Amino acid sequence: MSGTVASLAINLTAAEERHRPYFEGPHRRELEKVYALLATDDLLAAAHAELPQISSAAYFRMVMTGCIRGLVAAAPPGRPVTDILTDLGLE
């Protein structure tokens, strides 16, 4: 399980790095255009307005916490591996 959590953390961090130019770099203007376009559509603007603004650190913690909780629920200590695989549809 620790390998899965490490892989998730690495992949989530890599994805964040790929998107960083849109928030902090040269592509910021493109992101601003998207937000302006969202604001012109009543349905999309309302849906977007309901979303909380969270930092990338908070987003990382939220995703990691949710995934770890799911893993622990599916594979608690002492549960036979075959039971875990069966419940997850792998056998």
Side-chain angles (χ1 to χ4, degrees):
M1 186 176 308
S2 61
T4 301
V5 171
S7 292
L8 177 62
I10 291 166
N11 287 316
L12 191 56
T13 301
E16 181 181 333
E17 288 299 316
R18 275 195 314 275
H19 291 100
R20 188 175 307 278
Y22 291 98
F23 296 100
E24 299 174 358
H27 302 298
R28 174 92 180 136
R29 187 173 297 168
E30 294 301 315
L31 184 63
E32 290 170 357
K33 287 179 186 177
V34 170
Y35 288 146
L37 185 60
L38 281 172
T40 64
D41 183 281
D42 292 338
L43 183 61
L44 293 176
H48 189 257
E50 291 181 21
L51 295 173
Q53 296 295 319
I54 61 173
S55 68
S56 60
Y59 178 78
F60 180 87
R61 283 192 313 274
M62 177 187 69
V63 171
M64 290 299 297
T65 300
C67 290
I68 292 168
R69 286 180 183 171
L71 288 168
V72 171
R79 185 171 188 203
V81 173
T82 54
D83 291 353
I84 297 166
L85 294 175
T86 299
D87 281 353
L88 295 174
L90 299 175
E91 282 194 359

Coordinates of all heavy atoms in Angstrom, one line a residue:
M1 N 0.8 -1.2 0.0 CA 0.0 0.0 0.0 C 0.9 1.3 0.0 O 0.5 2.2 -0.6 CB -0.9 0.0 1.2 CG -1.9 1.1 1.2 SD -3.1 1.2 2.4 CE -3.9 -0.3 2.4
S2 N 2.0 1.2 0.7 CA 2.9 2.4 0.7 C 3.4 2.8 -0.7 O 3.5 3.9 -1.0 CB 4.0 2.2 1.7 OG 4.8 1.1 1.3
G3 N 3.6 1.8 -1.5 CA 4.1 2.0 -2.9 C 3.0 2.7 -3.7 O 3.3 3.6 -4.5
T4 N 1.8 2.3 -3.5 CA 0.6 2.9 -4.2 C 0.5 4.4 -3.7 O 0.3 5.3 -4.6 CB -0.7 2.1 -3.9 OG1 -0.5 0.8 -4.3 CG2 -1.9 2.8 -4.6
V5 N 0.6 4.6 -2.5 CA 0.5 6.0 -1.9 C 1.6 6.9 -2.5 O 1.4 8.0 -2.9 CB 0.4 6.0 -0.4 CG1 0.5 7.5 0.1 CG2 -0.8 5.4 0.1
A6 N 2.8 6.3 -2.5 CA 4.0 7.0 -3.1 C 3.8 7.4 -4.5 O 4.0 8.5 -5.0 CB 5.2 6.3 -2.9
S7 N 3.3 6.4 -5.3 CA 3.0 6.6 -6.7 C 2.0 7.7 -6.9 O 2.1 8.5 -7.8 CB 2.6 5.3 -7.4 OG 3.6 4.3 -7.4
L8 N 0.9 7.6 -6.2 CA -0.1 8.6 -6.3 C 0.4 10.0 -6.0 O 0.2 11.0 -6.7 CB -1.3 8.3 -5.3 CG -2.4 9.3 -5.2 CD1 -3.1 9.4 -6.6 CD2 -3.4 8.9 -4.2
A9 N 1.2 10.1 -4.9 CA 1.8 11.4 -4.6 C 2.7 12.0 -5.7 O 2.7 13.1 -6.0 CB 2.6 11.3 -3.2
I10 N 3.6 11.1 -6.2 CA 4.5 11.5 -7.3 C 3.7 11.9 -8.5 O 4.0 13.0 -9.1 CB 5.4 10.3 -7.6 CG1 6.4 10.1 -6.5 CG2 6.2 10.6 -8.9 CD1 7.2 8.8 -6.6
N11 N 2.7 11.2 -8.9 CA 1.9 11.5 -10.1 C 1.1 12.8 -9.9 O 1.0 13.6 -10.8 CB 1.0 10.3 -10.5 CG 1.8 9.2 -11.1 OD1 2.6 9.4 -11.9 ND2 1.5 8.0 -10.7
L12 N 0.5 13.0 -8.7 CA -0.2 14.2 -8.4 C 0.7 15.4 -8.5 O 0.3 16.5 -9.0 CB -0.9 14.1 -7.1 CG -2.0 15.1 -6.7 CD1 -3.1 15.2 -7.8 CD2 -2.6 14.7 -5.4
T13 N 1.9 15.3 -7.9 CA 2.9 16.4 -8.0 C 3.3 16.7 -9.4 O 3.4 17.8 -9.8 CB 4.1 16.0 -7.1 OG1 3.6 15.8 -5.7 CG2 5.1 17.1 -7.1
A14 N 3.5 15.6 -10.2 CA 3.9 15.8 -11.6 C 2.8 16.6 -12.4 O 3.1 17.4 -13.2 CB 4.3 14.5 -12.2
A15 N 1.6 16.2 -12.1 CA 0.5 16.8 -12.8 C 0.4 18.3 -12.4 O 0.1 19.2 -13.3 CB -0.8 16.1 -12.5
E16 N 0.6 18.6 -11.1 CA 0.6 20.0 -10.7 C 1.7 20.8 -11.4 O 1.5 21.9 -11.8 CB 0.7 20.0 -9.2 CG 0.7 21.4 -8.6 CD 0.9 21.5 -7.1 OE1 0.5 20.5 -6.4 OE2 1.4 22.5 -6.7
E17 N 2.9 20.2 -11.5 CA 4.0 20.9 -12.2 C 3.6 21.2 -13.6 O 4.0 22.2 -14.1 CB 5.3 20.1 -12.0 CG 5.8 20.0 -10.7 CD 6.2 21.4 -10.2 OE1 6.8 22.2 -10.9 OE2 5.9 21.7 -9.0
R18 N 3.0 20.2 -14.3 CA 2.6 20.5 -15.7 C 1.6 21.6 -15.8 O 1.6 22.3 -16.8 CB 1.9 19.2 -16.3 CG 2.9 18.2 -16.8 CD 2.2 17.2 -17.7 NE 1.0 16.6 -17.1 CZ 0.9 15.6 -16.3 NH1 2.0 15.0 -15.9 NH2 -0.2 15.1 -15.8
H19 N 0.8 21.8 -14.8 CA -0.3 22.9 -14.9 C 0.2 24.2 -14.3 O -0.4 25.3 -14.5 CB -1.5 22.5 -14.1 CG -2.2 21.4 -14.8 ND1 -2.1 20.1 -14.4 CD2 -3.0 21.4 -15.9 CE1 -2.9 19.3 -15.2 NE2 -3.4 20.1 -16.1
R20 N 1.4 24.2 -13.6 CA 1.9 25.4 -13.0 C 2.0 26.6 -13.9 O 1.7 27.8 -13.6 CB 3.2 25.2 -12.3 CG 3.7 26.3 -11.5 CD 5.0 26.0 -10.7 NE 4.9 24.8 -9.9 CZ 4.3 24.7 -8.7 NH1 3.8 25.8 -8.1 NH2 4.3 23.6 -8.0
P21 N 2.5 26.5 -15.2 CA 2.6 27.6 -16.1 C 1.3 28.4 -16.3 O 1.2 29.6 -16.6 CB 3.1 27.0 -17.4 CG 3.8 25.8 -17.0 CD 3.0 25.3 -15.8
Y22 N 0.1 27.7 -16.1 CA -1.2 28.3 -16.3 C -1.5 29.2 -15.1 O -2.3 30.1 -15.2 CB -2.3 27.3 -16.5 CG -2.1 26.6 -17.9 CD1 -1.5 25.4 -18.0 CD2 -2.6 27.3 -19.0 CE1 -1.4 24.8 -19.2 CE2 -2.4 26.7 -20.3 CZ -1.8 25.4 -20.3 OH -1.7 24.8 -21.6
F23 N -0.9 28.9 -14.0 CA -1.2 29.7 -12.8 C -0.2 30.7 -12.4 O -0.5 31.8 -11.8 CB -1.4 28.7 -11.6 CG -2.6 27.8 -11.7 CD1 -2.4 26.5 -12.1 CD2 -3.9 28.3 -11.6 CE1 -3.5 25.7 -12.3 CE2 -5.0 27.5 -11.7 CZ -4.8 26.1 -12.1
E24 N 1.1 30.4 -12.8 CA 2.2 31.3 -12.3 C 3.1 31.7 -13.5 O 4.0 32.5 -13.3 CB 3.0 30.5 -11.3 CG 2.3 30.1 -10.1 CD 3.2 29.3 -9.2 OE1 4.3 29.0 -9.5 OE2 2.7 28.9 -8.1
G25 N 2.8 31.2 -14.7 CA 3.8 31.5 -15.7 C 3.2 32.1 -17.0 O 2.2 32.8 -16.9
P26 N 3.8 31.8 -18.1 CA 3.5 32.5 -19.4 C 2.1 32.2 -19.9 O 1.6 32.9 -20.7 CB 4.5 31.9 -20.3 CG 5.0 30.6 -19.7 CD 4.8 30.8 -18.3
H27 N 1.4 31.1 -19.4 CA 0.1 30.8 -19.9 C -1.0 31.4 -19.0 O -2.2 31.1 -19.3 CB 0.0 29.3 -20.0 CG 1.0 28.6 -20.9 ND1 1.1 28.9 -22.2 CD2 2.0 27.7 -20.6 CE1 2.1 28.2 -22.7 NE2 2.6 27.5 -21.8
R28 N -0.7 32.2 -18.1 CA -1.6 32.8 -17.2 C -2.7 33.5 -18.0 O -3.9 33.4 -17.6 CB -1.0 33.7 -16.2 CG -1.9 34.5 -15.3 CD -2.1 33.8 -14.0 NE -3.1 34.6 -13.2 CZ -4.1 34.0 -12.6 NH1 -4.2 32.8 -12.6 NH2 -4.9 34.8 -11.9
R29 N -2.4 34.2 -19.0 CA -3.3 34.9 -19.9 C -4.4 34.0 -20.4 O -5.6 34.3 -20.5 CB -2.6 35.7 -21.0 CG -3.5 36.6 -21.7 CD -2.8 37.5 -22.7 NE -1.9 38.3 -21.9 CZ -0.9 39.0 -22.5 NH1 -0.7 39.0 -23.8 NH2 -0.1 39.8 -21.7
E30 N -4.0 32.8 -20.9 CA -4.9 31.8 -21.4 C -5.9 31.4 -20.3 O -7.1 31.3 -20.6 CB -4.2 30.6 -22.0 CG -3.3 30.9 -23.2 CD -4.1 31.5 -24.3 OE1 -5.2 31.0 -24.6 OE2 -3.6 32.5 -24.9
L31 N -5.5 31.2 -19.1 CA -6.4 30.8 -18.1 C -7.3 32.0 -17.8 O -8.5 31.7 -17.5 CB -5.6 30.5 -16.8 CG -6.4 30.0 -15.6 CD1 -7.1 28.7 -15.9 CD2 -5.4 29.8 -14.4
E32 N -6.9 33.2 -17.8 CA -7.8 34.3 -17.6 C -8.8 34.4 -18.7 O -10.0 34.7 -18.4 CB -6.9 35.6 -17.5 CG -6.1 35.7 -16.2 CD -5.1 36.8 -16.2 OE1 -5.0 37.5 -17.3 OE2 -4.4 37.0 -15.2
K33 N -8.5 34.1 -19.9 CA -9.4 34.0 -21.0 C -10.5 33.0 -20.7 O -11.7 33.2 -21.0 CB -8.8 33.7 -22.3 CG -7.9 34.9 -22.9 CD -7.3 34.5 -24.2 CE -6.4 35.5 -24.7 NZ -5.7 35.1 -25.9
V34 N -10.1 31.8 -20.2 CA -11.1 30.8 -19.9 C -12.0 31.2 -18.8 O -13.2 31.1 -18.9 CB -10.3 29.5 -19.5 CG1 -11.3 28.5 -18.9 CG2 -9.6 28.9 -20.6
Y35 N -11.5 31.9 -17.8 CA -12.4 32.4 -16.7 C -13.3 33.4 -17.2 O -14.5 33.5 -16.8 CB -11.5 32.9 -15.5 CG -10.8 31.9 -14.7 CD1 -9.6 32.2 -14.2 CD2 -11.4 30.6 -14.5 CE1 -8.9 31.2 -13.4 CE2 -10.7 29.7 -13.7 CZ -9.5 30.0 -13.2 OH -8.9 29.0 -12.4
A36 N -12.9 34.3 -18.1 CA -13.7 35.3 -18.7 C -14.8 34.6 -19.5 O -16.0 35.1 -19.5 CB -12.9 36.3 -19.6
L37 N -14.5 33.6 -20.3 CA -15.5 32.9 -21.1 C -16.5 32.2 -20.1 O -17.7 32.2 -20.4 CB -14.8 31.8 -22.0 CG -15.7 31.1 -22.9 CD1 -16.4 32.1 -23.9 CD2 -14.8 30.1 -23.7
L38 N -16.1 31.6 -19.1 CA -17.0 31.0 -18.1 C -18.0 32.0 -17.6 O -19.2 31.7 -17.4 CB -16.2 30.4 -16.9 CG -15.5 29.0 -17.1 CD1 -14.7 28.7 -15.9 CD2 -16.6 28.0 -17.3
A39 N -17.5 33.2 -17.3 CA -18.4 34.2 -16.7 C -19.5 34.7 -17.7 O -20.5 35.2 -17.2 CB -17.5 35.4 -16.3
T40 N -19.3 34.4 -19.0 CA -20.3 34.9 -20.0 C -21.5 33.9 -20.1 O -22.5 34.2 -20.7 CB -19.7 35.1 -21.4 OG1 -19.2 33.9 -21.9 CG2 -18.6 36.1 -21.3
D41 N -21.3 32.7 -19.6 CA -22.4 31.7 -19.7 C -23.1 31.5 -18.3 O -22.4 31.2 -17.3 CB -21.8 30.3 -20.1 CG -22.8 29.3 -20.3 OD1 -23.3 28.7 -19.3 OD2 -23.2 29.0 -21.4
D42 N -24.4 31.8 -18.3 CA -25.1 31.8 -17.0 C -24.9 30.5 -16.2 O -24.7 30.5 -15.0 CB -26.6 32.1 -17.2 CG -26.8 33.5 -17.7 OD1 -25.9 34.4 -17.4 OD2 -27.9 33.8 -18.3
L43 N -25.1 29.4 -16.9 CA -25.1 28.1 -16.2 C -23.7 27.8 -15.7 O -23.5 27.4 -14.6 CB -25.5 27.0 -17.2 CG -25.6 25.6 -16.6 CD1 -26.6 25.5 -15.4 CD2 -26.0 24.6 -17.7
L44 N -22.7 28.0 -16.6 CA -21.3 27.7 -16.2 C -20.8 28.7 -15.1 O -20.1 28.3 -14.2 CB -20.4 27.7 -17.4 CG -20.6 26.6 -18.5 CD1 -19.7 26.8 -19.7 CD2 -20.3 25.3 -17.8
A45 N -21.2 29.9 -15.3 CA -20.8 30.9 -14.3 C -21.3 30.6 -12.9 O -20.6 30.7 -11.9 CB -21.2 32.3 -14.7
A46 N -22.6 30.1 -12.8 CA -23.2 29.8 -11.6 C -22.5 28.5 -11.0 O -22.2 28.5 -9.8 CB -24.7 29.5 -11.7
A47 N -22.2 27.6 -11.8 CA -21.5 26.3 -11.3 C -20.1 26.7 -10.8 O -19.7 26.2 -9.8 CB -21.5 25.3 -12.4
H48 N -19.4 27.5 -11.6 CA -18.0 27.9 -11.2 C -18.0 28.7 -10.0 O -17.1 28.6 -9.1 CB -17.4 28.6 -12.4 CG -15.9 28.9 -12.2 ND1 -15.4 30.1 -11.8 CD2 -14.9 28.0 -12.3 CE1 -14.1 30.0 -11.7 NE2 -13.8 28.7 -12.0
A49 N -19.0 29.6 -9.8 CA -19.1 30.4 -8.6 C -19.3 29.6 -7.3 O -18.8 30.0 -6.2 CB -20.2 31.4 -8.7
E50 N -19.9 28.4 -7.4 CA -20.1 27.6 -6.3 C -18.9 26.8 -5.8 O -18.8 26.3 -4.7 CB -21.2 26.6 -6.5 CG -22.6 27.2 -6.7 CD -23.7 26.2 -6.9 OE1 -23.5 25.0 -6.6 OE2 -24.7 26.7 -7.4
L51 N -17.9 26.7 -6.7 CA -16.7 26.0 -6.3 C -15.8 26.8 -5.4 O -15.6 28.0 -5.6 CB -15.8 25.7 -7.6 CG -16.5 24.8 -8.6 CD1 -15.6 24.7 -9.9 CD2 -16.7 23.4 -8.0
P52 N -15.3 26.1 -4.3 CA -14.4 26.9 -3.4 C -13.1 27.1 -4.0 O -12.6 26.3 -4.8 CB -14.3 25.9 -2.2 CG -14.5 24.6 -2.8 CD -15.5 24.7 -3.9
Q53 N -12.4 28.2 -3.7 CA -11.1 28.5 -4.1 C -10.1 27.8 -3.1 O -10.2 28.2 -1.9 CB -10.9 30.0 -4.2 CG -11.7 30.6 -5.2 CD -11.3 30.2 -6.7 OE1 -10.2 30.0 -7.0 NE2 -12.3 29.9 -7.5
I54 N -9.4 26.8 -3.5 CA -8.5 26.2 -2.5 C -7.0 26.2 -3.1 O -6.9 26.3 -4.3 CB -8.9 24.8 -2.2 CG1 -8.9 23.9 -3.5 CG2 -10.2 24.7 -1.5 CD1 -9.1 22.4 -3.2
S55 N -6.1 26.2 -2.3 CA -4.7 26.3 -2.7 C -4.3 24.9 -3.2 O -4.9 23.9 -3.0 CB -3.8 26.6 -1.5 OG -3.8 25.5 -0.6
S56 N -3.2 24.9 -4.0 CA -2.7 23.6 -4.5 C -2.3 22.7 -3.4 O -2.5 21.5 -3.5 CB -1.6 23.8 -5.5 OG -0.5 24.5 -4.9
A57 N -1.8 23.2 -2.3 CA -1.4 22.4 -1.1 C -2.6 21.7 -0.5 O -2.6 20.6 -0.2 CB -0.6 23.2 -0.1
A58 N -3.7 22.5 -0.4 CA -4.9 22.0 0.2 C -5.6 20.9 -0.7 O -6.1 19.9 -0.3 CB -5.9 23.1 0.5
Y59 N -5.5 21.2 -2.0 CA -6.0 20.2 -3.0 C -5.2 18.9 -2.9 O -5.8 17.8 -2.9 CB -5.9 20.8 -4.4 CG -6.4 19.9 -5.5 CD1 -7.7 19.7 -5.7 CD2 -5.5 19.1 -6.3 CE1 -8.2 18.8 -6.7 CE2 -5.9 18.2 -7.2 CZ -7.3 18.1 -7.5 OH -7.7 17.2 -8.4
F60 N -3.9 19.0 -2.8 CA -3.1 17.8 -2.7 C -3.5 17.0 -1.5 O -3.6 15.8 -1.5 CB -1.6 18.2 -2.6 CG -0.6 17.1 -2.5 CD1 -0.2 16.4 -3.6 CD2 -0.2 16.7 -1.2 CE1 0.7 15.4 -3.5 CE2 0.7 15.6 -1.1 CZ 1.1 14.9 -2.2
R61 N -3.6 17.7 -0.3 CA -4.0 17.0 0.9 C -5.4 16.4 0.8 O -5.6 15.2 1.2 CB -4.0 18.0 2.1 CG -2.6 18.3 2.6 CD -2.7 19.0 4.0 NE -3.6 20.1 4.0 CZ -3.3 21.4 3.6 NH1 -2.1 21.7 3.2 NH2 -4.2 22.3 3.7
M62 N -6.3 17.1 0.1 CA -7.6 16.5 0.0 C -7.6 15.3 -0.9 O -8.2 14.3 -0.5 CB -8.5 17.6 -0.7 CG -9.9 17.1 -1.0 SD -10.9 18.3 -1.9 CE -10.1 18.3 -3.5
V63 N -7.0 15.3 -2.0 CA -6.9 14.1 -2.9 C -6.2 13.0 -2.2 O -6.7 11.8 -2.2 CB -6.3 14.5 -4.2 CG1 -6.0 13.2 -5.1 CG2 -7.1 15.5 -5.0
M64 N -5.0 13.3 -1.6 CA -4.3 12.2 -0.9 C -5.1 11.6 0.2 O -5.1 10.4 0.4 CB -2.9 12.7 -0.4 CG -2.0 13.1 -1.5 SD -1.5 11.7 -2.6 CE -0.7 10.6 -1.4
T65 N -5.7 12.4 1.0 CA -6.5 11.9 2.1 C -7.6 11.0 1.6 O -7.9 9.9 2.2 CB -7.1 13.1 3.0 OG1 -6.0 13.9 3.5 CG2 -7.9 12.6 4.1
G66 N -8.4 11.5 0.6 CA -9.5 10.7 0.1 C -9.0 9.3 -0.5 O -9.6 8.3 -0.2
C67 N -7.9 9.4 -1.2 CA -7.4 8.1 -1.8 C -6.9 7.2 -0.7 O -7.1 6.0 -0.8 CB -6.3 8.4 -2.8 SG -6.9 9.2 -4.3
I68 N -6.1 7.7 0.3 CA -5.6 6.9 1.3 C -6.8 6.3 2.1 O -6.8 5.1 2.5 CB -4.7 7.6 2.3 CG1 -3.4 8.0 1.5 CG2 -4.3 6.9 3.5 CD1 -2.5 9.0 2.1
R69 N -7.8 7.0 2.4 CA -9.0 6.5 3.1 C -9.6 5.4 2.3 O -10.0 4.4 2.9 CB -10.0 7.6 3.4 CG -9.5 8.5 4.5 CD -10.6 9.6 4.8 NE -10.1 10.5 5.8 CZ -10.7 11.6 6.1 NH1 -11.8 12.0 5.5 NH2 -10.2 12.4 7.1
G70 N -9.7 5.5 1.0 CA -10.3 4.5 0.2 C -9.4 3.3 0.2 O -10.0 2.1 0.3
L71 N -8.1 3.4 0.1 CA -7.2 2.3 0.2 C -7.3 1.5 1.5 O -7.4 0.3 1.5 CB -5.8 2.7 -0.1 CG -5.4 3.1 -1.5 CD1 -4.1 3.8 -1.5 CD2 -5.5 1.9 -2.4
V72 N -7.3 2.3 2.6 CA -7.4 1.6 3.9 C -8.8 0.9 4.1 O -8.8 -0.2 4.6 CB -7.2 2.7 5.0 CG1 -7.5 2.1 6.4 CG2 -5.7 3.1 4.9
A73 N -9.8 1.5 3.5 CA -11.1 0.9 3.6 C -11.2 -0.4 2.8 O -11.8 -1.4 3.3 CB -12.2 1.8 3.2
A74 N -10.5 -0.4 1.7 CA -10.5 -1.6 0.8 C -9.5 -2.7 1.3 O -9.8 -3.9 1.2 CB -10.2 -1.2 -0.6
A75 N -8.5 -2.2 1.9 CA -7.4 -3.1 2.3 C -6.9 -2.9 3.8 O -5.8 -2.5 4.0 CB -6.2 -3.0 1.4
P76 N -7.8 -3.1 4.7 CA -7.4 -2.9 6.1 C -6.4 -3.9 6.5 O -6.3 -5.0 6.0 CB -8.7 -3.1 6.9 CG -9.6 -3.9 6.1 CD -9.2 -3.6 4.7
P77 N -5.6 -3.6 7.5 CA -4.6 -4.5 8.0 C -5.2 -5.9 8.4 O -6.2 -6.0 9.0 CB -4.0 -3.9 9.3 CG -4.3 -2.4 9.1 CD -5.6 -2.3 8.3
G78 N -4.5 -6.9 7.9 CA -5.0 -8.3 8.2 C -5.9 -8.9 7.3 O -6.2 -10.1 7.3
R79 N -6.5 -8.1 6.3 CA -7.4 -8.7 5.4 C -6.7 -9.5 4.3 O -5.7 -9.0 3.8 CB -8.2 -7.5 4.7 CG -9.3 -8.1 3.8 CD -10.2 -7.0 3.3 NE -11.3 -7.6 2.6 CZ -12.0 -6.9 1.7 NH1 -11.8 -5.6 1.5 NH2 -13.0 -7.5 1.1
P80 N -7.1 -10.6 4.0 CA -6.4 -11.4 3.0 C -6.4 -10.7 1.6 O -7.4 -10.1 1.2 CB -7.3 -12.7 2.9 CG -8.0 -12.8 4.2 CD -8.2 -11.4 4.6
V81 N -5.3 -10.8 1.0 CA -5.1 -10.2 -0.3 C -6.1 -10.7 -1.3 O -6.7 -9.9 -2.1 CB -3.7 -10.4 -0.8 CG1 -3.5 -9.8 -2.3 CG2 -2.7 -9.7 0.1
T82 N -6.4 -11.9 -1.3 CA -7.4 -12.5 -2.3 C -8.8 -11.8 -2.1 O -9.5 -11.6 -3.1 CB -7.5 -14.0 -2.2 OG1 -7.8 -14.4 -0.8 CG2 -6.2 -14.7 -2.6
D83 N -9.2 -11.5 -0.8 CA -10.4 -10.9 -0.6 C -10.4 -9.4 -1.1 O -11.4 -9.0 -1.7 CB -10.7 -10.8 0.9 CG -11.1 -12.2 1.5 OD1 -11.2 -13.2 0.7 OD2 -11.2 -12.3 2.7
I84 N -9.3 -8.8 -0.9 CA -9.2 -7.4 -1.4 C -9.3 -7.4 -3.0 O -10.1 -6.6 -3.5 CB -7.8 -6.8 -1.0 CG1 -7.7 -6.7 0.5 CG2 -7.6 -5.4 -1.6 CD1 -6.4 -6.4 1.1
L85 N -8.6 -8.3 -3.6 CA -8.6 -8.3 -5.1 C -10.0 -8.7 -5.6 O -10.5 -8.1 -6.6 CB -7.6 -9.3 -5.6 CG -6.1 -9.0 -5.3 CD1 -5.2 -10.1 -5.8 CD2 -5.7 -7.7 -6.0
T86 N -10.7 -9.6 -4.9 CA -12.0 -9.9 -5.3 C -13.0 -8.8 -5.2 O -13.7 -8.5 -6.1 CB -12.5 -11.1 -4.5 OG1 -11.7 -12.2 -4.7 CG2 -14.0 -11.5 -4.9
D87 N -12.9 -8.1 -4.1 CA -13.8 -6.9 -3.9 C -13.5 -5.8 -4.8 O -14.4 -5.0 -5.2 CB -13.7 -6.4 -2.4 CG -14.4 -7.2 -1.4 OD1 -15.2 -8.1 -1.8 OD2 -14.3 -6.9 -0.2
L88 N -12.3 -5.7 -5.3 CA -11.9 -4.6 -6.2 C -12.1 -5.1 -7.7 O -11.9 -4.3 -8.6 CB -10.5 -4.2 -6.0 CG -10.2 -3.5 -4.7 CD1 -8.7 -3.2 -4.5 CD2 -11.0 -2.2 -4.5
G89 N -12.7 -6.3 -7.9 CA -13.0 -6.8 -9.2 C -11.8 -7.3 -10.0 O -11.9 -7.4 -11.2
L90 N -10.7 -7.6 -9.3 CA -9.5 -8.1 -10.0 C -9.4 -9.6 -10.2 O -8.6 -10.1 -10.9 CB -8.3 -7.5 -9.4 CG -8.2 -6.0 -9.4 CD1 -7.0 -5.5 -8.6 CD2 -8.2 -5.4 -10.8
E91 N -10.2 -10.3 -9.4 CA -10.2 -11.8 -9.5 C -11.6 -12.3 -9.7 O -12.6 -11.8 -9.3 CB -9.6 -12.4 -8.3 CG -8.1 -12.3 -8.3 CD -7.4 -13.2 -7.3 OE1 -8.1 -13.9 -6.5 OE2 -6.2 -13.2 -7.3

